[in-house]
Amino acid sequence: MGKHVLIVDDSASIRQMVEHTLKTGGYQVTAAADGQQALDLCKTTRYDFVLTDQNMPKMDGLTLIKSLRSMASYGRTPIVVLTTEASDDMKAKGRSAGATGWMVKPFNPANLLEITAKVLR
């Protein structure tokens, strides 16, 4: 089985599109609807890569990233934010929270697979 990716987005259609794209790339995929659900999953399962939205109910992407970075098992895991937020200020906040990278929606499937392969090297 390929690397295990956790996708976190409150939009069911985005989760489905991202999941389909990653599965065609040979990745094992688990999906969470918000940051809190993702954090709960990460406490019991080790993911190789986390792809998260920023604006979600219960827990936003930056809070999720900070929470994951505080866990020993996620100190070096690649975490990329996939969001409609494109401001330099928001990207800087993402970097300071510990994000590995930033992708702006709508995403290009080929680009998503390329970035996923790159961060999982």
Side-chain angles (χ1 to χ4, degrees):
M1 188 49 96
K3 297 272 189 182
H4 199 170
V5 181
L6 176 63
I7 52 176
V8 191
D9 201 302
D10 57 326
S11 163
S13 60
I14 294 285
R15 284 196 311 271
Q16 287 171 335
M17 286 189 297
V18 171
E19 186 171 355
H20 175 75
T21 300
L22 292 173
K23 281 184 172 176
T24 60
Y27 299 100
Q28 184 182 350
V29 181
T30 298
D34 59 60
Q36 186 59 59
Q37 186 183 10
L39 184 60
D40 292 343
L41 286 167
C42 289
K43 288 176 182 172
T44 59
T45 307
R46 180 81 179 83
Y47 298 96
D48 299 300
F49 173 40
V50 178
L51 183 69
T52 182
D53 186 16
Q54 165 51 22
N55 301 309
M56 299 176 286
K58 295 186 187 168
M59 183 188 293
D60 67 21
L62 294 181
T63 305
L64 173 62
I65 293 167
K66 289 176 190 167
S67 301
L68 289 175
R69 290 298 185 218
S70 72
M71 296 165 61
S73 55
Y74 283 92
R76 296 183 174 275
T77 303
I79 304 174
V80 172
V81 181
L82 175 64
T83 181
T84 54
E85 300 266 357
S87 71
D88 289 338
D89 177 55
M90 200 55 162
K91 289 178 186 173
K93 285 179 182 170
R95 274 193 298 278
S96 67
T100 310
W102 200 271
M103 284 182 72
V104 178
K105 292 176 187 173
F107 72 95
N108 172 314
N111 192 25
L112 175 62
L113 288 172
E114 186 180 311
I115 287 170
T116 302
K118 191 174 177 183
V119 299
L120 286 171
R121 272 194 204 123

